[in-house]
Amino acid sequence: STNCSGIHEIIDDGVSGYIVKACFPDSIASGLKKVYDMDATQREQMVNKAREKLNQNHRLHLQLDHIEKLYKQVVNHWQ
């Protein structure tokens, strides 16, 4: 993925994917080559690590719980 917005919250560079510089073709090509050079087992491990991180940290119910807590903090602050 490119190094835009909050991608670092989802991808650990070299572990669950590769982060490359946006708008830099050489950087994008380098990241793609790294994935291309991996064997099937390595790619599967990377995909599994990405899926695991998403399931642990970015599930919808976790995000909704976090937003609810933030709203409650704001409301309690102004009461």
Side-chain angles (χ1 to χ4, degrees), residues 1-2 20-34:
S1 181
T2 58
V20 298
K21 293 180 182 178
C23 302
F24 287 85
D26 290 342
S27 179
I28 295 168
S30 174
L32 289 171
K33 182 162 178 14
K34 288 177 186 177

Side-chain angles (χ1 to χ4, degrees), residues 6-47:
I7 201 67
H8 292 282
E9 294 177 11
I10 298 171
I11 296 177
D12 294 321
D13 192 32
V15 177
S16 56
Y18 291 105
I19 299 175
V20 298
K21 293 180 182 178
C23 302
F24 287 85
D26 290 342
S27 179
I28 295 168
S30 174
L32 289 171
K33 182 162 178 14
K34 288 177 186 177
V35 174
Y36 179 79
D37 289 342
M38 298 169 101
D39 63 36
T41 301
Q42 291 171 313
R43 281 192 299 273
E44 186 175 338
Q45 287 173 344
M46 186 171 272
V47 167

